[in-house]
Amino acid sequence: MPDFTIGGSECGAACGLDPYRSPVALWAEKTGLTEPREAGEAARWGQLLEHVIVAQVRERGYYVEQTIPEWEVAGPEPWMLSHPDGVCATNPGAPRGVLEIKTAGSWIKGWEEDGVPPAYVAQVHHYMHATALDWTLIACLIGGQKLELRTVERDDALLAMILEAEAEFVGYCERNEPPPPEGSPATTEVLRRLYPRAHEGETVALTAADM
């Protein structure tokens, strides 16, 4: 049975905000045209370093809880899955927020001037909707040597746009209709894999029937 759910790490791609994974690339995975993307070396090191980053978050004064099985299930929307890294608070009695742990290369854009990359903003709003929490602490180890902490407050107007984009993406999957190509390298790569003849100079019309 096709998997037309959207997890938090897929939210940015579904919304067209992930610079490394386009809506077309994610759609091709979801509809079985390409194999799901493997986690890779960077993801493995991210998992290995997660407990180190959490320890540093605690050292900086946050209360952290990582056992949250009640939220590692489907969210309020039928297509939504949620697997947040944990919840945190400024002290055990304070309102809790989502905790999202990241590792990133030093070349990743979006952290300048206390900013957050757009794909991460979408991801944590996905989690805040699923958990009914109002804020998120993102702890990102950049370049293996600099820990950045960012607080993202829930923005209901932004969340509405994210949910609309996710629903639109799921609709493309259910209709077996590709999202409009937007010219990103990720989309170009998946189209080359699906239509190798076009890469050789032959024109191929991208219709729903062909897909």
Side-chain angles (χ1 to χ4, degrees):
M1 182 177 179
D3 175 17
F4 296 153
T5 57
I6 298 177
S9 62
E10 298 170 328
C11 174
C15 296
L17 298 173
D18 190 332
Y20 305 105
R21 195 183 196 186
S22 69
V24 172
L26 181 61
W27 171 86
E29 293 177 19
K30 292 291 184 181
T31 55
L33 291 174
T34 61
E35 292 296 322
R37 187 175 61 173
E38 295 184 0
E41 184 80 358
R44 179 173 181 272
W45 279 103
Q47 292 176 346
L48 291 173
L49 290 170
E50 182 173 327
H51 74 283
V52 177
I53 298 172
V54 168
Q56 286 300 304
V57 171
R58 288 186 170 123
E59 188 171 303
R60 296 192 185 194
Y62 287 90
Y63 169 78
V64 176
E65 176 185 349
Q66 287 189 283
T67 305
I68 47 173
E70 69 271 22
W71 287 332
E72 295 184 348
V73 294
E77 315 303 330
W79 66 81
M80 180 175 283
L81 293 179
S82 175
H83 297 86
D85 292 324
V87 292
C88 63
T90 53
N91 61 69
R96 297 190 299 175
V98 175
L99 174 65
E100 181 62 20
I101 304 297
K102 296 288 186 186
T103 55
S106 57
W107 62 88
I108 302 297
K109 303 296 184 182
W111 299 105
E112 302 84 359
E113 299 180 359
D114 295 329
V116 178
Y120 294 169
V121 174
Q123 179 178 359
V124 299
H125 272 79
H126 180 104
Y127 290 153
M128 286 187 281
H129 183 61
T131 60
L133 296 177
D134 293 328
W135 64 282
T136 297
L137 178 69
I138 300 178
C140 182
L141 181 64
I142 298 178
Q145 57 188 6
K146 183 179 181 182
L147 182 63
E148 295 282 2
L149 301 184
R150 298 285 192 273
T151 298
V152 178
E153 301 287 344
R154 182 188 182 112
D155 182 330
D156 287 331
L158 175 59
L159 177 58
M161 290 188 286
I162 291 169
L163 294 176
E164 181 179 359
E166 287 186 336
E168 183 178 21
F169 175 81
V170 171
Y172 283 120
C173 293
E174 293 174 339
R175 297 190 302 272
N176 197 30
E177 174 187 343
E182 81 298 342
S184 70
T187 292
T188 300
E189 177 60 27
V190 76
L191 291 178
R192 283 175 175 171
R193 290 166 60 189
L194 294 175
Y195 299 99
R197 289 179 297 132
H199 183 50
E200 297 169 358
E202 179 179 345
T203 300
V204 177
L206 298 182
T207 66
D210 290 331
M211 305 302 275

